[in-house]
Amino acid sequence: MAASEEDRHLKLTGEFDCDPTPLSTLRHSTSHVMAQAVKRLWPDVSIAIGPAIEDGFYYDFGRSEPFTPEDLAKIEEGMRAIAKEKLRFERSEMPRADAIAYFRERREPWKVEIIEGIADDRVSIYRQGDYVDLCRGPHVSSTAEIKHFKLLSSSGAYWRGDEKNPMLQRIYGTAWLTKEDLDQYLWRLEEAKKRDHRKLGRELELFDFHDVAPGAPFWLPKGMVIFRELEKYWREIHDAHDYLETSTPILVNKKLWEQSGHWELYQDNMFKLEVEEQIFSLKPMNCPESTYVYRHTLRSYRDLPLRVAEIGRLHRNERSGTLTGMFRVRQITMDDAHIYCRPDQVQDEISGVLGLVREFYKLFNLEPSFKLATRPPDMLGTKEQWDDAEHALHEALRSNGLAYDLKPGDGAFYGPKIDIHIDDAIGRNWQIATVQLDLTMLPERFQLEYVDTDGQRKRPVAIHRAIFGSFERFIGVITEHFAGAFPTWLAPVQARVLPISVKHEDYAKQVYEKLRAAKVRAELDNRNEKLGYRIREAQLHKVPYMLVVGDREREQDAVSLRHRTGDDLGAVPLDRVLADLAREIGARASTLTVGRA
Ligand SMILES: [Zn+2]
Ligand SMILES: [Zn+2]
């Protein structure tokens, strides 16, 4: 994220080209104020670049030693002082050659390098008080507007994101238009730390990572339960929506990638191997191979739509520095599908995918939002094809009653797409999945055909789609969304039986066996520990239900039922607990209902 943000700034303008919304203008201006405070404290430190990013900003500084937390506190203090001075942001222009001389004299080598890479005759300069920066702007009018900000962290960062370049020191901060927004964001950061899926994954024994396989999770038995439940549900709804499941090879000759175009554009991201003097690669996506399924036989208009789904294991060679838990992995299990259809079927097919998306996310209490990305300047295919395709996507969204944002020009060169985002329980937005229309790439490169009603051979349209993206990322997201307290149908352990003392072990075993016979994932905790301790431990492991048994429960064929939320429901007949559990799990309910009236 940071690297591409950086690239964008450098590539587009030579330096900053903030998208000029009030918030990003404020954030970018805050980065200038931070740089000013740094220069006042350490006049010898040089300044590199400081863009606004999602939720905040950063600035990179030429300095060998890292900034300490105490340094950040001092810088923040300096920034508040600068805000009080109410300095105006003043724009001016300079001939390129003068600017190079100017920044060289000020001993700002990074700025000199940036200007040398700019083709324009003149560059713009922003000044506030004693601070001068090379910048496109825009900026707020005065430092007095810099009010609601906080510096968050610092770390090393290579100049232009390239490890061959010198290491700079980056400081990250956040800035908001109101104090409420800032407080809310800082709360979200705290909450996100508590919910970090890497931490929860270890504590709840779901998955783990080891140096021997960077970017690839080790799924532990409990995590695998979640994976399997998702897979089971995925198969159910795909069967119900008339998808056919396939499985295609992981290790594939490079010839295929040359035909698909990935070899040319994507090979740096592919793992390559030599087998019998030929180059093979681990597949980074399923698309090209799905065309073999399509081409297995000659298709007629009656065979379409053909919906081919695959839970494919993919490998992408992400740089080791960018790997983050389940969010950025090298080994991905994608919930992929390709739909091949006639042009007149596109709208219905997209509509069907959107319906599937909504049905799917409802289970997780996640509200999806949609963004429609339309034709880019370098589009392939005819204007008519694009008009029809974009119209079909608009109509599919409308017919589902969905509000959506437009991202003009953001589609792929081979077709428009709909990006699917969700907001999680603490208000973070995630892009999860995509529905991508493909007018030309697969159909043309693989010469796909069907025989139409008039006997003519025509090109089908391909739709690439995923519902939750990848198992890894989605399980990472819902682990944080639920803070590890999964709905019962997904919970690795659904119920734990706790005998009050050794005397009650026999009855506890009976209860446990009945749960197992009813296919409830149950555990018996008959360790020689205090009941209170065992209850607390079950709660820490987010086990939905605790069934406590003693003399009274045994006499009544009942259990004392506790929810992981701390609710104590008292004695409930065992039969009732079993029936409620079966209903809740069967319905894949999102709330705990067992024992409630
Ligand atoms: Zn600027
Ligand atoms: Zn695809």
Side-chain angles (χ1 to χ4, degrees):
M1 152 85 206
S4 68
E5 196 69 39
E6 207 167 292
D7 285 350
R8 193 164 65 83
H9 285 280
L10 288 167
K11 220 180 284 160
L12 284 177
T13 65
E15 212 211 5
F16 315 119
D17 188 22
C18 274
D19 96 61
T21 61
L23 198 49
S24 54
T25 304
L26 174 77
R27 285 173 178 161
H28 177 54
S29 303
T30 311
S31 87
H32 277 224
V33 170
M34 176 170 79
Q36 184 173 19
V38 168
K39 296 284 289 188
R40 283 183 179 181
L41 286 160
W42 300 279
D44 292 340
V45 168
S46 56
I47 49 177
I49 66 162
I53 55 174
E54 196 182 356
D55 294 335
F57 59 88
Y58 68 77
Y59 214 115
D60 285 347
F61 299 97
R63 169 175 144 133
S64 48
E65 63 276 28
F67 290 101
T68 63
E70 293 72 41
D71 290 341
L72 296 196
K74 264 191 249 165
I75 297 165
E76 250 188 46
E77 208 177 295
M79 291 168 72
R80 302 208 188 278
I82 293 164
K84 278 214 187 91
E85 291 167 30
K86 300 191 169 82
L87 305 172
R88 293 197 62 75
F89 282 90
E90 289 163 319
R91 184 180 189 280
S92 59
E93 286 188 9
M94 246 188 223
R96 186 171 164 279
D98 293 1
I100 291 173
Y102 179 80
F103 281 104
R104 187 166 284 146
E105 198 196 309
R106 291 178 72 99
R107 279 189 242 129
E108 299 291 1
W110 318 107
K111 298 292 173 190
V112 171
E113 196 181 321
I114 292 165
I115 305 167
E116 283 171 345
I118 299 178
D120 305 352
D121 296 340
R122 298 177 72 76
V123 297
S124 61
I125 305 289
Y126 272 84
R127 179 190 299 272
Q128 83 261 13
D130 52 352
Y131 180 79
V132 181
D133 204 337
L134 168 78
C135 183
R136 285 271 166 137
H139 279 285
V140 297
S141 62
S142 139
T143 58
E145 293 179 50
I146 311 295
K147 289 179 194 147
H148 313 294
F149 65 89
K150 175 133 189 67
L151 302 188
L152 300 172
S153 62
S154 68
S155 62
Y158 293 106
W159 169 234
R160 294 185 190 242
D162 186 339
E163 49 258 54
K164 287 187 228 89
N165 288 337
M167 170 84 87
L168 307 173
Q169 300 300 329
R170 174 174 301 179
I171 302 178
Y172 285 103
T174 189
W176 297 84
L177 296 168
T178 67
K179 181 170 186 308
E180 291 70 45
D181 288 351
L182 174 65
D183 290 346
Q184 168 75 13
Y185 177 71
L186 294 176
W187 171 83
R188 231 159 61 200
L189 279 187
E190 269 315 297
E191 195 59 26
K193 240 183 254 167
K194 282 188 238 155
R195 291 166 178 250
D196 188 319
H197 70 278
R198 290 165 293 187
K199 174 172 159 281
L200 287 174
R202 247 187 333 271
E203 287 170 5
L204 304 177
E205 303 175 313
L206 305 178
F207 43 76
D208 210 348
F209 291 88
H210 298 284
D211 294 345
V212 291
F218 283 74
W219 290 95
L220 302 174
K222 285 181 176 159
M224 208 52 210
V225 169
I226 298 172
F227 197 108
R228 281 170 50 179
E229 285 295 337
L230 274 180
E231 214 172 5
K232 198 160 121 198
Y233 176 58
W234 186 91
R235 290 212 160 87
E236 273 175 35
I237 54 171
H238 282 77
D239 287 350
H241 287 258
D242 292 325
Y243 280 80
L244 307 171
E245 186 172 350
T246 58
S247 178
T248 59
I250 291 177
L251 187 62
V252 195
N253 194 298
K254 85 167 206 247
K255 279 187 263 181
L256 176 78
W257 309 113
E258 283 169 345
Q259 189 176 355
S260 69
H262 288 101
W263 197 254
E264 194 190 332
L265 296 171
Y266 200 72
Q267 64 160 300
D268 287 350
N269 291 72
M270 291 161 69
F271 289 104
K272 292 161 221 166
L273 288 100
E274 199 183 307
V275 184
E276 295 179 346
E277 290 167 22
Q278 302 228 29
I279 304 296
F280 281 66
S281 127
L282 302 179
K283 66 173 167 184
M285 51 197 62
N286 299 310
C287 325
E289 286 182 79
S290 87
T291 68
Y292 283 78
V293 177
Y294 183 89
R295 289 178 292 156
H296 177 71
T297 173
L298 179 62
R299 306 288 176 182
S300 103
Y301 67 95
R302 268 185 250 104
D303 301 327
L304 303 182
L306 181 71
R307 307 188 186 102
V308 188
E310 170 158 2
I311 298 179
R313 198 148 266 190
L314 313 179
H315 292 81
R316 295 181 185 172
N317 193 0
E318 307 280 357
R319 294 205 333 232
S320 52
T322 66
L323 301 170
T324 1
M326 291 290 204
F327 293 160
R328 193 94 180 235
V329 288
R330 283 180 173 161
Q331 178 183 293
I332 316 153
T333 316
M334 200 169 161
D335 80 305
D336 206 6
H338 293 89
I339 301 173
Y340 297 96
C341 66
R342 305 189 307 258
D344 64 291
Q345 294 171 319
V346 167
Q347 187 181 323
D348 281 350
E349 287 308 305
I350 299 285
S351 185
V353 172
L354 296 176
L356 203 59
V357 166
R358 299 173 79 196
E359 190 181 333
F360 190 86
Y361 286 118
K362 205 184 284 165
L363 268 192
F364 303 92
N365 286 336
L366 292 167
E367 193 56 52
S369 58
F370 302 88
K371 294 186 199 306
L372 169 55
T374 57
R375 70 193 76 182
D378 59 346
M379 64 180 191
L380 284 186
T382 65
K383 181 176 173 297
E384 287 69 37
Q385 269 179 318
W386 277 84
D387 287 345
D388 290 348
E390 288 175 359
H391 178 75
L393 295 196
H394 279 292
E395 283 307 311
L397 284 157
R398 278 191 208 124
S399 67
N400 273 275
L402 299 173
Y404 57 98
D405 293 330
L406 213 53
K407 281 158 91 179
D410 216 32
F413 62 89
Y414 52 88
K417 62 172 180 168
I418 298 172
D419 288 334
I420 298 155
H421 293 244
I422 51 159
D423 281 326
D424 73 5
I426 57 171
R428 289 174 302 177
N429 189 268
W430 305 88
Q431 192 197 326
I432 294 285
T434 301
V435 190
Q436 170 76 57
L437 208 59
D438 179 356
L439 304 168
T440 54
M441 192 183 62
L442 292 185
E444 295 292 341
R445 282 184 177 267
F446 291 92
Q447 304 281 301
L448 306 184
E449 293 179 335
Y450 66 96
V451 180
D452 207 355
T453 42
D454 56 8
Q456 299 290 313
R457 296 206 174 190
K458 298 195 177 150
R459 290 256 184 270
V461 173
I463 298 168
H464 309 248
R465 52 113 275 203
I467 302 294
F468 57 88
S470 77
F471 280 76
E472 288 78 9
R473 190 152 182 274
F474 188 70
I475 290 175
V477 168
I478 58 173
T479 300
E480 300 198 1
H481 170 66
F482 292 122
F486 295 98
T488 310
W489 70 277
L490 273 178
V493 179
Q494 296 167 318
R496 203 175 264 185
V497 185
L498 310 171
I500 291 176
S501 77
V502 190
K503 293 194 298 179
H504 313 111
E505 232 174 85
D506 284 347
Y507 180 58
K509 272 187 190 141
Q510 283 173 33
V511 172
Y512 167 74
E513 291 302 339
K514 280 196 177 162
L515 288 164
R516 302 275 304 144
K519 298 203 164 58
V520 175
R521 293 188 290 268
E523 282 179 353
L524 174 63
D525 184 0
N526 55 2
R527 287 175 303 165
N528 187 19
E529 297 281 359
K530 286 218 170 63
L531 180 63
Y533 172 85
R534 284 177 289 150
I535 289 175
R536 264 195 311 282
E537 204 177 61
Q539 280 173 325
L540 276 177
H541 280 87
K542 324 271 184 185
V543 175
Y545 297 109
M546 284 147 269
L547 282 55
V548 180
V549 296
D551 291 330
R552 201 168 48 115
E553 288 77 17
R554 181 172 51 201
E555 279 154 29
Q556 300 173 354
D557 270 330
V559 300
S560 262
L561 183 68
R562 301 176 73 103
H563 289 190
R564 69 178 159 213
T565 49
D567 293 358
D568 185 350
L569 281 81
V572 181
L574 180 56
D575 287 346
R576 162 95 190 277
V577 170
L578 290 170
D580 284 2
L581 264 172
R583 198 172 46 239
E584 180 175 308
I585 294 167
R588 295 192 171 96
S590 57
T591 51
L592 304 191
T593 57
V594 175
R596 301 230 187 260

